[in-house]
Amino acid sequence: MMALHEAGAGAVFAFPMRLGIFRMGAVNLYDRRPMPLTPAVVRDAAALTEAVSRQVLQRALARASPDAGAPANESGGRYSRREVYQASGMLAAQSGVGADDALLLLRAYAFADGRAVRALANDVLTHTMDFTHRNDSAP
């Protein structure tokens, strides 16, 4: 506490940047005065952090590769677009996020593991990969 005071910070607040079970950092807020945040400010900061988290993940994937993990255009085959969307639906149910965020998470996990999204989707569909028991320490 002494170090915070010496640095001129009276209050420090941290909001985790995550999307579902995918953690990517934190947003830290500082104030020179010691003060609590009201519940309304906490709700607003958490909502803004969630929106920023989604944008950071989308931009990181786009910057890493323009087609990093993007679903394929074909409509059939062993790893079709339909299977990617089915797998993202399963991931949504397992992680408690919406469908768009589940697809983003599927892309992020595939990129982080250096795998094709369609290969990871196949693992989700065959229950080789399950996100139900992942905790907050997941990548």
Side-chain angles (χ1 to χ4, degrees):
M1 191 71 148
M2 183 75 131
L4 289 175
H5 184 64
E6 289 174 5
V12 178
F13 308 96
F15 294 88
M17 290 180 66
R18 63 180 177 205
L19 189 61
I21 56 178
F22 196 85
R23 294 176 31 176
M24 61 196 93
V27 170
N28 299 310
L29 305 174
Y30 305 90
D31 198 302
R32 292 182 185 268
R33 300 164 292 151
M35 58 177 274
L37 293 180
T38 65
V41 170
V42 170
R43 278 191 305 276
D44 289 347
L48 288 170
T49 300
E50 181 180 334
V52 167
S53 299
R54 187 174 293 108
Q55 289 297 314
V56 166
L57 188 55
Q58 287 173 341
R59 289 179 185 199
L61 286 170
R63 181 170 287 168
S65 173
D67 61 344
N73 290 326
E74 71 264 12
S75 60
R78 185 169 176 200
Y79 301 116
S80 72
R81 169 181 264 185
R82 177 186 51 203
E83 289 169 333
V84 168
Y85 287 108
Q86 288 172 342
S88 67
M90 289 175 67
L91 181 57
Q94 293 172 2
S95 64
V97 299
D100 289 340
D101 287 347
L103 182 57
L104 183 58
L105 284 173
L106 189 67
R107 291 180 59 213
Y109 275 105
F111 180 77
D113 288 345
R115 302 178 62 199
V117 148
R118 293 178 292 170
L120 180 59
N122 185 56
D123 287 350
V124 170
L125 291 174
T126 61
H127 303 283
T128 305
M129 177 68 77
D130 186 322
F131 293 90
T132 303
H133 301 294
R134 295 224 175 186
N135 60 28
D136 285 333
S137 64

